[in-house]
Every structure is written in C-alpha cells, then in structure tokens.
Amino acid sequence: MKSREINKTWTVSAEQESPIHKVGMVLQPGHFEDYDPFLFLAEDWFQRGVFDFHPHRGMETVTYIIEGILEHSDNHGGAGRLNPGDTQWMTAGRGIIHKEDPAIGETVHSLQLWLNLPAAKKMTETRYQDLQSANMPLREEPGAKVRVFSGTSGGVTATTLNHVPVTMVEITLEPGATISQDLPGSYNGFIYVLEGRGVFGAKETEGKKNQVLWTNPTGDNEESEITITAIEPLKLVLFAGQPLHEPIVAYGPFVMNTEQEIRQAYADFRSGKFN
Ligand code: FE
C-alpha cells in the first residue's frame, strides 16, 4: 500500500457577499484539470433567498451540512430537508431547476462540492440521494470515527450510487488517534479541516481548521492510503475521486464538454425542456 503525501496546502478565507451570505472557496473554480473530477467547492453561510430557483446540467452537487437545517425543492416535485451532518448528492444530469433554502429563521453553514459528470453521463436522468448521517456506515477504530458517505474506508462501504467513483468520508479523531484512509492510487483527493489540528500524510504535513490538504494521484493500478493523526480534537471531510481527463466548458450552472453543448443547454432551459 503506497503511503500518500500532501502535495499542497492552503487556507480558506471567507468573505461577506451580501448581508445574508458569506462564502469561502475551498476549491477555487477554474482549476478544472488540477482538481479533476472536482469543479469547485464552496463553504457557505446563508439565509433564505440566497439560492432561489436556478438550473443545473451536466454535473452533480454534493452538499454537506455543517450547521442549520436546509430545505430543498425542485421543478420535478422533489423536496427534502437536511440536518447537520447530512449530505445531499444531487445528480443534475440532463437538467433540473431547484432551490436550496434554510428553514425559517435558520442560517445554514454548508459545504457544496460541484462534481463533474463524464461526457457519456451528462444527459443522464436527474437523481437525488439524501444521505442522512445516522444511516451512513460507520467505521470505528480506537479514538476514531469514519462516516462513509461514498466509497469505502477500511472495508466499510457506502451504497451511495456514483457516476464518477468518489470517496467521501467525515472523520473525527481524538487527540493522539491515527487513522489511515485507503484510496485508489489514481484518485485526486483533498481534506478540508472543520475543527482542530493534525498531521497528514507520509511527510507529516501539519494542518488545522480552515485549511485544505491536497494529495495528487500516486499511480494507476495501485492502492494507496493517507494517514491522519490528531494533535487537537480533529474533524474533517475527505473527498477523493477518479479524474475524467475530458474537456470542460462551464458557464454558470451548466458544465459540458463543448461550447455547442452549452448553447444547447441555454436553448433547452429557455424553451422549458428542463421541466
Ligand atoms: Fe443548485
């Protein structure tokens, strides 16, 4: 098993976008080749009215709730409610129009990842997977809890459906505890620290709250792992996924492979084909 190292770290700083919305970019948009299959990841603090009805095509959103209660509804009659620790895995596919609003009186603090879809799956059917924290498989080791939202961790595997293979785990560690997360060597991956401080990877890179720790693929056709040790009580999310190596043309909420497909997405949206 190849031991992964941290290749890059950075710190996320949030800015007030409006009186009811603060946002920090965990993965900045525009680095599509570097972050493949991830498009970007935003950390948001928001009240009702920030994410009113808007369309998506050609991608998935993965929304992890840190605090607050988030309600969502869409133009196909879908609706749901997410509590802290829950994750929504939404496949936009051919097209969806939805809104994401905190429950009345709530401020939601969340992470939203935009995940690319392979060319062959961009027009797939829309799909929601509401992943409730309490129902997710839990891997327990001394001083460590790993909640598996997608993929696998130490033989504990989620049933979440993936178009692109992605591992998503939430890890909590007591000070001094160590855990190793197994990953295919081909995956790009990153950790975002939500609470505390620890050391990460083969070079024992230090990381703390609001920091991102990025790990490059080690090589195809090999297994790898990233080792994490807590210095202070540590809580983090880890995402890793199989790069697609396909061209990306992204405009607003549409993520396709060509300019023509983007024009088609706008035309379809305007003519009501998302309904
Ligand atoms: Fe959305």
Side-chain angles (χ1 to χ4, degrees):
M1 184 94 72
K2 183 79 168 258
S3 183
R4 280 183 178 244
E5 49 188 66
I6 299 302
N7 302 99
K8 206 174 171 197
T9 66
W10 60 94
T11 302
V12 176
S13 59
E15 284 180 23
Q16 205 73 38
E17 284 267 306
S18 80
I20 57 171
H21 186 204
K22 189 170 81 168
V23 61
M25 280 296 168
V26 176
L27 300 185
Q28 291 277 358
H31 302 269
F32 301 137
E33 267 181 56
D34 293 342
Y35 296 158
D36 191 6
F38 307 116
L39 299 162
F40 73 86
L41 192 156
E43 179 174 19
D44 295 288
W45 293 257
F46 60 106
Q47 294 171 24
R48 285 173 85 85
V50 172
F51 298 110
D52 207 348
F53 282 104
H54 59 276
H56 291 284
R57 173 179 278 184
M59 34 71 80
E60 298 185 294
T61 58
V62 181
T63 309
Y64 171 81
I65 309 298
I66 299 170
E67 288 174 290
I69 297 169
L70 184 67
E71 298 173 344
H72 66 91
S73 58
D74 66 60
N75 63 328
H76 299 305
R81 197 176 159 90
L82 298 157
N83 291 298
D86 296 347
T87 293
Q88 182 197 67
W89 205 289
M90 184 192 80
T91 305
R94 63 174 51 248
I96 184 84
I97 302 169
H98 76 155
K99 77 171 182 177
E100 300 149 294
D101 242 352
I104 290 168
E106 295 277 324
T107 297
V108 166
H109 178 196
S110 62
L111 302 178
Q112 186 169 83
L113 176 72
W114 286 30
L115 173 62
N116 202 7
L117 281 170
K121 297 287 188 70
K122 287 206 174 280
M123 296 295 278
T124 191
E125 290 302 314
T126 300
R127 173 170 85 193
Y128 286 100
Q129 298 175 83
D130 274 339
L131 308 175
Q132 289 169 329
S133 178
N135 299 332
M136 293 293 102
L138 184 64
R139 172 186 173 200
E140 291 191 87
E141 306 281 346
K145 285 192 170 70
V146 182
R147 219 170 266 287
V148 186
F149 287 91
S150 181
T152 187
S153 182
V156 176
T157 300
T159 57
T160 305
L161 302 173
N162 287 154
H163 290 296
V164 184
V166 166
T167 297
M168 175 189 172
V169 294
E170 172 206 78
I171 299 178
T172 50
L173 288 180
E174 293 170 11
T178 293
I179 192 100
S180 287
Q181 169 64 44
D182 45 300
L183 296 170
S186 57
Y187 281 17
N188 270 320
F190 64 97
I191 287 160
Y192 186 51
V193 182
L194 298 174
E195 298 291 340
R197 194 158 65 92
V199 291
F200 301 83
K203 289 188 171 166
E204 302 195 336
T205 306
E206 276 214 41
K208 61 178 198 240
K209 182 174 175 169
N210 292 126
Q211 288 188 321
V212 185
L213 300 111
W214 181 270
T215 175
N216 292 333
T218 61
D220 291 344
N221 307 314
E222 68 178 12
E223 280 301 308
S224 70
E225 63 182 8
I226 180 103
T227 301
I228 302 166
T229 302
I231 300 169
E232 294 169 7
L234 185 65
K235 184 174 184 183
L236 60 86
V237 287
L238 178 153
F239 291 96
Q242 177 64 42
L244 297 172
H245 304 302
E246 291 177 347
I248 293 176
V249 182
Y251 278 95
F254 306 133
V255 184
M256 305 302 288
N257 302 107
T258 66
E259 299 276 352
Q260 164 55 25
E261 288 168 344
I262 291 290
R263 283 194 292 274
Q264 191 64 52
Y266 276 100
D268 288 351
F269 176 53
R270 280 194 220 101
S271 64
K273 291 206 175 107
F274 281 34
N275 292 317

